[in-house]
């Protein structure tokens, strides 16, 4: 995986997996690389064929490399062609080309790219906003699916994009937790009792007390305590005060603690310091209690995505698998270690690999897969 793909993948995961989650602003530098998946101890099981293949020929020169494809739900997606002959984009002989689909990749429509010639072309997408970066000219954002764009010069992420990251975010320059006021991130009046903050999230959930009083889900922050142990802090008054929970059940050393929201509660994923070992896993269905998630028989490495139903998908050198009931089980999905994978807001699984993308419809680990292929005409 290239640094560009890693940067886009990390951003997309944070935007679509969490309701109001952030680990920082959009920047031009790449994040830490994903775990390197290398496990030769066992061969992956034979994957089940995809249920359908949707191949579309586009009016694009064969010189162009494979496009970067992004879906925001089961129906809507975008494709960016930005490099030719294996070389970085930049010259007028290889202008960026932008396409979109609104029917799950069955058909694609050409969109006007607002700055097709640039030294570096990137694309980010959420349900609300399509954002294009064209270096050094700045950002172009669209809220109507790419029909029109608004230009924002400079490297700072535009407000329309920043607003999609949630009300509470990490301020990258300071590492503090801030609230987005529509124009900028303002530090909260009190900061969580953590020495390093990794993830900020708040679920769009409204609770009701026995007396009928309503209140929102707490603001949750993960990170490391002063002694380097992974911890979770919560605020029920939007950052004016904090409660630091009990230390998590020990599972060895972790360097980054990611908070993921599934349909049935929170998951914590503790990445190992070398970014290669199988991560530590915890769950919480509410309150301040976290319990360890066992995964007997798991591979040596893996990337984890909560699926709901007390189940998490794992992508490893063995292919696809799932953690359920304290055990790791292989799954016959057509997904390999070369794929990045994430859960879209509508519950669809999106997997991107060198040969194209896959869409997995269904519930929990029961998925029917569709392959989306774009071919130059």
């Amino acid at each position: 995986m290239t640094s560009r793909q890693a940067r886009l993948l990390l951003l997309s995961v944070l935007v679509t997996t969490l309701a109001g989650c952030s680990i920082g602003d959009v920047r031009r530098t790449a994040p830490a690389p994903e775990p390197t998946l290398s496990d030769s101890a066992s061969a992956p099981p034979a994957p089940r064929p995809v249920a359908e293949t949707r191949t579309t020929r586009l009016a694009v020169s064969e010189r162009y490399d494979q496009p970067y494809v992004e879906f925001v739900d089961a129906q809507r997606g975008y494709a960016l062609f930005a490099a030719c002959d294996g070389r970085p984009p930049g010259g007028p002989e290889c202008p960026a080309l932008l396409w979109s689909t609104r029917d799950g990749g069955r058909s694609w429509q050409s969109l006007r790219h607002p700055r097709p010639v640039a030294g570096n072309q990137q694309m980010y997408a959420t349900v609300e906003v399509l954002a294009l970066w064209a270096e050094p000219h700045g950002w172009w954002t669209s809220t109507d699916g790419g029909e029109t764009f608004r230009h924002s010069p400079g490297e700072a992420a535009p407000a329309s994009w920043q607003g999609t990251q949630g009300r509470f975010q990490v301020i990258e320059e300071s590492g503090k937790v801030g609230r987005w006021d529509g124009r900028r991130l303002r530090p909260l009046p009190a900061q969580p009792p953590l020495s390093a903050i990794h993830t900020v999230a708040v679920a769009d959930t409204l609770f009701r007390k026995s007396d009928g009083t309503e209140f929102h889900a707490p603001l949750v922050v993960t990170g490391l305590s002063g002694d380097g142990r992974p911890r979770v802090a919560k605020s029920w008054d939007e950052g004016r005060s904090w409660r630091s929970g009990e230390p998590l059940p020990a599972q060895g050393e972790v360097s980054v603690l990611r908070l993921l929201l599934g349909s049935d509660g929170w998951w914590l994923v503790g990445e190992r310091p070398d970014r290669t070992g199988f991560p530590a896993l915890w769950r919480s269905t509410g309150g301040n209690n976290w319990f360890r998630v066992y995964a007997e028989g798991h591979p040596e490495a893996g990337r984890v995505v909560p699926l709901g139903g007390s189940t998490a998908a794992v992508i490893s050198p063995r292919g696809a698998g799932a953690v359920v009931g304290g055990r790791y089980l292989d799954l016959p999905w057509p997904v390999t270690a070369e794929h990045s994978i994430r859960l879209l807001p509508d519950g669809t699984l999106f997997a991107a690999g060198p040969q194209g993308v896959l869409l997995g419809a269904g519930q929990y680990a029961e998925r029917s897969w569709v392959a989306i292929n774009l071919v130059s005409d």
Side-chain angles (χ1 to χ4, degrees):
M1 174 175 292
T2 66
S3 61
R4 173 181 177 274
Q5 291 171 319
R7 175 167 56 251
L8 293 170
L9 172 61
L10 177 61
L11 178 65
S12 300
V13 167
L14 294 169
V15 170
T16 60
T17 305
L18 296 176
C21 166
S22 170
I23 65 166
D25 300 338
V26 182
R27 295 297 177 210
R28 306 273 46 84
T29 55
E34 285 195 319
T36 301
L37 302 186
S38 57
D39 182 0
S40 58
S42 59
R48 183 181 300 162
V50 296
E52 180 185 355
T53 299
R54 299 169 186 168
T55 301
T56 306
R57 290 190 173 275
L58 302 181
V60 175
S61 169
E62 293 183 352
R63 293 185 55 208
Y64 280 86
D65 298 345
Q66 286 292 314
Y68 176 76
V69 179
E70 185 73 85
F71 273 77
V72 298
D73 57 32
Q75 299 300 317
R76 291 176 291 174
Y78 303 93
L80 175 67
F81 292 82
C84 295
D85 303 322
R87 297 178 301 189
E93 70 281 357
C94 186
L97 304 176
L98 185 63
W99 296 75
S100 72
T101 180
R102 297 184 180 181
D103 57 9
R106 296 176 179 86
S107 65
W108 293 79
Q109 299 76 44
S110 177
L111 300 175
R112 183 188 68 84
H113 194 293
R115 189 75 189 201
V117 178
N120 183 16
Q121 299 278 3
Q122 298 182 27
M123 178 179 71
Y124 305 89
T126 68
V127 173
E128 300 89 359
V129 177
L130 170 65
L132 303 176
W133 165 256
E135 190 175 345
H137 309 290
W139 292 87
W140 278 263
T141 52
S142 173
T143 57
D144 56 12
E147 295 297 324
T148 61
F149 285 90
R150 180 177 180 178
H151 182 218
S152 301
E155 289 198 3
S160 59
W161 176 266
Q162 195 76 48
T164 67
Q165 311 304 295
R167 289 185 299 138
F168 301 96
Q169 305 173 34
V170 174
I171 303 173
E172 186 172 279
E173 294 83 357
S174 64
K176 294 182 177 181
V177 180
R179 177 200 286 270
W180 177 250
D181 66 3
R183 295 185 303 172
R184 55 172 292 188
L185 283 171
R186 297 184 180 275
L188 296 180
Q191 293 295 313
L194 300 171
S195 62
I197 296 173
H198 298 158
T199 309
V200 178
V202 59
D204 294 327
T205 304
L206 191 65
F207 297 99
R208 187 186 301 273
K209 296 181 180 179
S210 58
D211 61 2
T213 304
E214 294 182 339
F215 62 97
H216 288 276
L219 173 61
V220 185
V221 175
T222 70
L224 303 178
S225 61
D227 59 3
R229 300 177 64 180
R231 296 289 289 268
V232 178
K234 293 183 179 180
S235 174
W236 293 89
D237 53 13
E238 299 193 331
R240 288 184 289 274
S241 63
W242 294 88
R243 300 177 187 175
S244 184
E246 295 296 321
L248 298 171
Q251 290 202 60
E253 187 178 1
V254 301
S255 61
V256 175
L257 190 64
R258 295 191 291 122
L259 180 65
L260 305 178
L261 177 60
S263 61
D264 55 352
W266 295 100
W267 286 72
L268 285 176
V269 179
E271 303 290 358
R272 303 302 182 183
D274 61 1
R275 305 287 287 175
T276 61
F278 192 82
L281 298 175
W282 299 269
R283 283 193 65 224
S284 174
T285 55
N288 294 319
N289 297 323
W290 293 87
F291 60 88
R292 177 178 179 177
V293 176
Y294 291 87
E296 183 180 346
H298 67 73
E300 293 182 2
R303 296 189 294 267
V304 176
V305 179
L307 299 177
S310 303
T311 303
V314 178
I315 306 303
S316 78
R318 284 162 55 174
V323 174
V324 57
R327 295 182 58 85
Y328 173 88
L329 304 174
D330 289 316
L331 295 175
W333 291 355
V335 180
T336 70
E338 293 183 319
H339 287 91
S340 63
I341 187 169
R342 57 189 174 83
L343 192 66
L344 301 181
D346 66 351
T348 303
L349 276 173
F350 172 73
Q355 304 305 317
V357 302
L358 300 166
L359 297 175
Q363 192 175 34
Y364 309 142
E366 293 296 325
R367 300 282 167 166
S368 177
W369 292 92
V370 172
I372 309 295
N373 294 324
L374 298 181
V375 181
S376 299
D377 196 354

